[in-house]
Amino acid sequence: MHDKFGGLLVYAKRLGEQTARWGLGELPRWSLGVLFFALVRRVNLGVWVVVAWTRRASSLGYESSLVLLSLDEKLVIRGYSDTLNNLQSQQEQDGYVVESSRGYLIELWRTRESIWVSGLFQIPERLCSFVDITWLKKHGKRVAISRGGAFITASPKLGLQHLVLLFVQEEFGAISDVIEKSVTEYEKVSSEGETSFTCVMKFGGSSVASAERMKEVASLILSFPEERPIVVLSAMGKTTNKLLLAGEKATSCGVTNVSSIEELSFIKDLHERQEQRNEKSLFIPEEESYFLTACSYLSLRTVDQLGVDRSAVAKHLDELEQLLKGIAMMKELTKRTQDYLVSFGECMSTRIFAAYLNKIGVKARQYDAFEIGFITTDDFTNADILEATYPAVAKRLNGDWLSDPAIAIVTGFLGKARKSCAVTTLGRGGSDLTATAIGKALGLPEIQVWKDVDGVLTCDPNIYPKAEPVPFLTFDEAAELAYFGAQVLHPQSMRPARESDIPVRVKNSYNPKAPGTLITKARDMSKAILTSIVLKRNVTMLDIVSTRMLGQYGFLAKVFSIFEDLGISVDVVATSEVSVSLTLDPSKLWSRELIQQASELDHVVEELEKIAVVNLLQNRSIISLIGNVQRSSLILEKAFRVLRSLGVTVQMISQGASKVNISLVVNDSEGEQCVRALHSVFFESELSELES
Ligand SMILES: Nc1ncnc2c1ncn2[C@@H]1O[C@H](COP(=O)(O)OP(=O)(O)O)[C@@H](O)[C@H]1O
Ligand SMILES: N[C@@H](CC(=O)OP(=O)(O)O)C(=O)O
């Protein structure tokens, strides 16, 4: 049985003050007989996990025991249960700093040939003598490795609350080679784990804003030697904005005045740094500088600072220059060209990063998403990923890994239009969506999204710096939060993760030890009231009152068919028998600007006025209260008390069908003040105070 299952991990949580008393040595076979199998679920392609409670554990006074059995060759046993996740978070908060000579365990990771154990739990000295432990160094810390048999660890750091019994029946092979690796050995490790990728790690523009940051991200990735990641990157820093600006300027300045499209600051920067650039033989001829956007300068500077060959981006810089000249000549920037223009940001950041990893001896391969099967609609600037993407991407990435293993570095944000075959983008912030789509395509156990904040926060930190990280969220909560304007996640990014039930972890690349936010299908809502407050500004609201008599049917249907015909989506709706109030705000940011164009709004009003009296109200904000709508009476009571004290009139209120969101519409000028006051009440007071 053991041979078949391979590995077994029993996790027991001590109940109350009772002492943990697990026996040493191998876990007897009979103990498997008293397992209560509570859940069997397929967590990703080809991997089965069985979660069970043992009677033996509860009779010994443990609250519960969790058993994870691998029934497959490819299992990474880590974080498949709430209990384990909670435990991990706690450890991360403890800061990975365990000075004890007794060592610690982090996780069990299994490949076809071997099981790796590395870790974080301290091991009581008296137990060490019973097990065959090898001490290794991992990132300067001592790690205990057992070469088989039973292995018991406990964590005094966590107040002896946790006891982990790890029972491994296999030969470990060359574990020391695996764990104690240097950067150059990473490649060797990767090829040993021929089971393809283990997770996707997305790093946004804020995480890779400079050469320094790229180096930090590289070491962050390498600090997870047990992972074989697919890395999704956004463009460096604000490159996308810079490219858009360069494109806009190109349309109006004329070819001969091209120098004016270049951000003056770039040219100044170029000259100010001339000395430094000459030193590094980075001099760029004056005539070339015209078309060098800040982005290309950034790329060259980064390339040089990383010591990577300029050829990594030379072709792209050349093409970018040609493209800007073309735009200047045509005096036109179509959405299609705009997508092609901004794609240079991701194409260059990924090339630079992959070149850097290769330079330091870590085998990496760069991919343009539009070349590996990201098929989208032809909605330039705002394309949707089509279903055909998933098998195509999986086939390409898995196939490449099998023939020649290497870390994959994939462009975020980009795709290829199904009909025109041109490059598309997925809407601003779309790299999050690329990451979750890859997670779904490959059925990976985890999707990591690395940002510049400690996870999803209780509100936008730019509005209220006291915002706190939210440790757990459901896909529904995260999706509502993103849709209603929290910049931290792309509005559509939760969809692939939810469809394939893959946990998403939002982490801070500037502070990797922070536990971040874990987004899963379900979470314990018993104590949850409010999770986060989101503000969506600059929203247009329409009050539409039927001109017909009360009781006429078909009014709402007519109103919504007008929006459908005009291709405008509606956010928040509140209705009565003869009237409907709604806000207009397409889900993706670039289109949003469109509907604010006067002509388009005029057209909407014109059509609606055929059946109703219409009042158009602009400059409104939606405050979304994301949380446990089962507690809506409490939430609303508190919220209205706060708003009343501020003298704010709520102009519309709606409770979404998702059961996680209550939306309130107020004036733009009042929005931020309301969020701050609501935050103080909901997040800075005790639960008991809130409920009183
Ligand atoms: N509720 C929120 N939680 C966390 N960050 C938020 C929230 N609302 C807005 N933000 C902003 O989102 C930023 C992170 O998103 P983004 O800039 O898209 O990251 P990246 O470019 O790294 O993907 C944060 O720096 C923060 O200012
Ligand atoms: N670079 C694109 C895509 C993206 O996702 O960026 P970020 O991860 O930095 O939000 C943008 O700025 O929209």
Side-chain angles (χ1 to χ4, degrees):
M1 199 164 183
H2 294 144
D3 291 340
K4 186 178 170 207
F5 288 169
L8 167 65
L9 174 71
V10 179
Y11 166 68
K13 191 172 183 226
R14 208 186 61 167
L15 189 67
E17 288 308 305
Q18 282 174 276
T19 316
R21 285 189 206 284
W22 278 92
L24 285 175
E26 291 194 355
L27 188 74
R29 272 166 202 247
W30 59 260
S31 68
L32 290 172
V34 295
L35 294 180
F36 293 115
F37 289 90
L39 172 70
V40 180
R41 100 185 148 126
R42 192 172 175 133
V43 293
N44 66 17
L45 290 179
V47 174
W48 288 83
V49 172
V50 181
V51 181
W53 282 262
T54 70
R55 196 207 311 249
R56 182 171 149 78
S58 30
S59 68
L60 281 170
Y62 299 109
E63 190 179 277
S64 65
S65 274
L66 182 69
V67 181
L68 303 181
L69 296 176
S70 154
L71 302 186
D72 185 278
E73 298 291 40
K74 295 190 266 181
L75 181 58
V76 176
I77 302 178
R78 201 187 68 163
Y80 283 117
S81 76
D82 278 352
T83 325
L84 283 182
N85 281 329
N86 288 339
L87 186 63
Q88 277 177 355
S89 311
Q90 242 173 311
Q91 289 153 9
E92 283 171 16
Q93 270 166 1
D94 278 354
Y96 288 94
V97 185
V98 184
E99 296 297 340
S100 163
S101 61
R102 286 172 251 143
Y104 38 95
L105 274 177
I106 295 176
E107 61 193 22
L108 171 70
W109 186 78
R110 179 154 189 239
T111 69
R112 202 164 287 170
E113 254 91 49
S114 60
I115 293 180
W116 304 355
V117 187
S118 62
L120 193 63
F121 301 92
Q122 286 199 321
I123 302 166
E125 209 143 43
R126 65 194 168 82
L127 298 182
C128 293
S129 54
F130 287 87
V131 280
D132 175 13
I133 291 176
T134 307
W135 297 102
L136 298 167
K137 262 195 147 181
K138 182 185 176 191
H139 309 302
K141 290 174 192 165
R142 281 164 63 81
V143 176
I145 305 296
S146 169
R147 285 183 177 269
F151 189 28
I152 297 191
T153 71
S155 169
K157 271 217 123 185
L158 305 176
L160 269 173
Q161 279 265 324
H162 300 91
L163 183 83
V164 174
L165 168 59
L166 176 66
F167 177 76
V168 181
Q169 188 74 0
E170 290 190 17
E171 273 305 305
F172 282 95
I175 283 180
S176 46
D177 296 341
V178 171
I179 301 293
E180 193 165 27
K181 67 176 70 60
S182 67
V183 161
T184 42
E185 283 167 332
Y186 195 90
E187 196 179 320
K188 191 170 76 197
V189 173
S190 301
S191 55
E192 276 175 14
E194 23 173 312
T195 49
S196 192
F197 300 99
T198 56
C199 75
V200 53
M201 296 177 165
K202 178 258 170 172
F203 294 90
S206 57
S207 297
V208 289
S210 63
E212 210 43 52
R213 286 301 307 158
M214 283 208 176
K215 284 183 189 170
E216 277 169 37
V217 166
S219 38
L220 202 157
I221 292 168
L222 297 174
S223 72
F224 297 98
E226 67 282 13
E227 299 286 8
R228 299 183 298 278
I230 296 173
V231 178
V232 173
L233 290 192
S234 300
M236 295 176 68
K238 301 277 175 213
T239 300
T240 307
N241 291 350
K242 294 249 159 64
L243 284 165
L244 285 170
L245 205 62
E248 242 171 61
K249 287 182 181 174
T251 58
S252 53
C253 70
V255 186
T256 49
N257 292 319
V258 167
S259 55
S260 65
I261 68 165
E262 292 313 317
E263 287 79 343
L264 266 178
S265 60
F266 159 66
I267 295 175
K268 279 186 200 150
D269 196 10
L270 181 70
H271 286 89
E272 271 166 22
R273 287 165 186 255
Q274 197 67 67
E275 205 179 311
Q276 186 191 342
R277 293 165 70 78
N278 277 332
E279 265 171 32
K280 295 183 179 177
S281 66
L282 233 178
F283 179 74
I284 297 164
E286 193 77 19
E287 64 275 17
E288 261 187 51
S289 72
Y290 288 163
F291 280 104
L292 284 172
T293 60
C295 141
S296 43
Y297 172 52
L298 185 65
S299 304
L300 284 176
R301 190 177 49 187
T302 307
V303 158
D304 286 312
Q305 285 174 354
L306 290 175
V308 168
D309 199 307
R310 273 181 161 205
S311 64
V313 288
K315 189 175 134 272
H316 281 81
L317 286 176
D318 207 38
E319 263 179 44
L320 175 61
E321 182 182 329
Q322 295 306 323
L323 179 61
L324 284 170
K325 276 183 185 165
I327 294 168
M329 258 177 230
M330 299 298 291
K331 298 189 174 60
E332 186 187 35
L333 181 60
T334 61
K335 281 187 174 189
R336 178 175 166 150
T337 309
Q338 186 174 297
D339 273 358
Y340 180 48
L341 176 65
V342 294
S343 74
F344 282 80
E346 272 71 11
C347 288
M348 293 197 288
S349 65
T350 47
R351 279 172 172 78
I352 294 172
F353 191 66
Y356 175 66
L357 285 183
N358 283 312
K359 190 201 131 196
I360 61 170
V362 179
K363 194 163 176 184
R365 191 181 295 121
Q366 189 276 346
Y367 292 95
D368 290 325
F370 48 83
E371 297 293 357
I372 61 165
F374 269 86
I375 321 284
T376 72
T377 57
D378 283 55
D379 301 313
F380 294 105
T381 73
N382 211 358
D384 265 337
I385 292 177
L386 298 174
E387 229 20 64
T389 297
Y390 302 110
V393 168
K395 190 170 170 213
R396 175 67 188 271
L397 292 177
N398 281 332
D400 281 4
W401 175 274
L402 285 176
S403 56
D404 183 16
I407 295 185
I409 314 292
V410 184
T411 57
F413 186 46
L414 310 178
K416 185 183 206 162
R418 181 183 44 185
K419 290 187 196 142
S420 62
C421 293
V423 174
T424 53
T425 61
L426 308 175
R428 294 306 302 268
S431 303
D432 295 341
L433 178 56
T434 308
T436 54
I438 290 177
K440 174 178 167 175
L442 277 81
L444 297 173
E446 184 166 286
I447 297 160
Q448 297 173 5
V449 181
W450 292 83
K451 303 265 167 188
D452 61 348
V453 276
D454 282 350
V456 176
L457 305 178
T458 44
C459 78
D460 183 344
N462 302 305
I463 296 178
Y464 196 51
K466 283 190 188 164
E468 291 282 329
V470 180
F472 300 101
L473 278 177
T474 63
F475 291 131
D476 286 342
E477 288 174 308
E480 288 284 308
L481 203 129
Y483 182 80
F484 279 96
Q487 191 205 334
V488 66
L489 290 170
H490 181 277
Q492 304 296 327
S493 59
M494 286 304 112
R495 212 179 49 200
R498 177 171 31 197
E499 283 163 3
S500 44
D501 194 9
I502 299 175
V504 178
R505 230 176 247 281
V506 184
K507 296 269 292 173
N508 189 350
S509 70
Y510 290 76
N511 181 20
K513 284 179 185 166
T517 300
L518 182 68
I519 309 171
T520 48
K521 193 174 183 176
R523 70 184 183 100
D524 178 9
M525 296 295 277
S526 59
K527 295 211 173 86
I529 298 179
L530 216 61
T531 312
S532 190
I533 304 173
V534 185
L535 184 68
K536 192 170 186 173
R537 302 178 181 86
N538 210 8
V539 165
T540 299
M541 180 173 154
L542 285 174
D543 277 336
I544 306 159
V545 183
S546 172
T547 43
R548 299 194 189 174
M549 300 296 289
L550 212 68
Q552 281 281 345
Y553 54 84
F555 170 63
L556 283 183
K558 280 209 177 90
V559 169
F560 285 104
S561 70
I562 290 171
F563 288 111
E564 190 186 351
D565 292 346
L566 297 174
I568 292 175
S569 68
V570 170
D571 264 353
V572 183
V573 186
T575 62
S576 76
E577 178 85 28
V578 289
S579 75
V580 52
S581 297
L582 43 83
T583 60
L584 305 180
D585 205 337
S587 61
K588 300 199 179 168
L589 301 175
W590 287 356
S591 324
R592 189 179 300 166
E593 284 154 21
L594 262 186
I595 69 148
Q596 283 156 2
Q597 286 172 11
S599 61
E600 191 154 347
L601 280 175
D602 285 351
H603 192 44
V604 176
V605 173
E606 210 173 279
E607 286 300 305
L608 289 169
E609 278 178 339
K610 291 177 186 164
I611 56 165
V613 175
V614 182
N615 196 6
L616 182 105
L617 305 156
Q618 287 183 290
N619 304 322
R620 297 299 188 268
S621 282
I622 303 173
I623 298 172
S624 294
L625 305 173
I626 315 287
N628 185 357
V629 176
Q630 303 298 331
R631 313 287 299 270
S632 62
S633 304
L634 174 65
I635 295 172
L636 287 172
E637 184 210 322
K638 297 285 170 193
F640 278 104
R641 204 180 286 176
V642 171
L643 299 178
R644 190 169 149 240
S645 71
L646 295 175
V648 169
T649 306
V650 175
Q651 299 168 35
M652 182 173 152
I653 170 165
S654 166
Q655 184 170 318
S658 68
K659 300 280 181 266
V660 296
N661 179 12
I662 297 172
S663 293
L664 311 169
V665 177
V666 299
N667 286 334
D668 258 344
S669 56
E670 299 159 335
E672 292 199 4
Q673 183 196 16
C674 292
V675 171
R676 283 192 284 270
L678 288 165
H679 193 281
S680 300
V681 167
F682 282 102
F683 297 108
E684 291 159 50
S685 35
E686 293 298 320
L687 190 67
S688 52
E689 274 177 60
L690 258 183
E691 285 178 323
S692 65

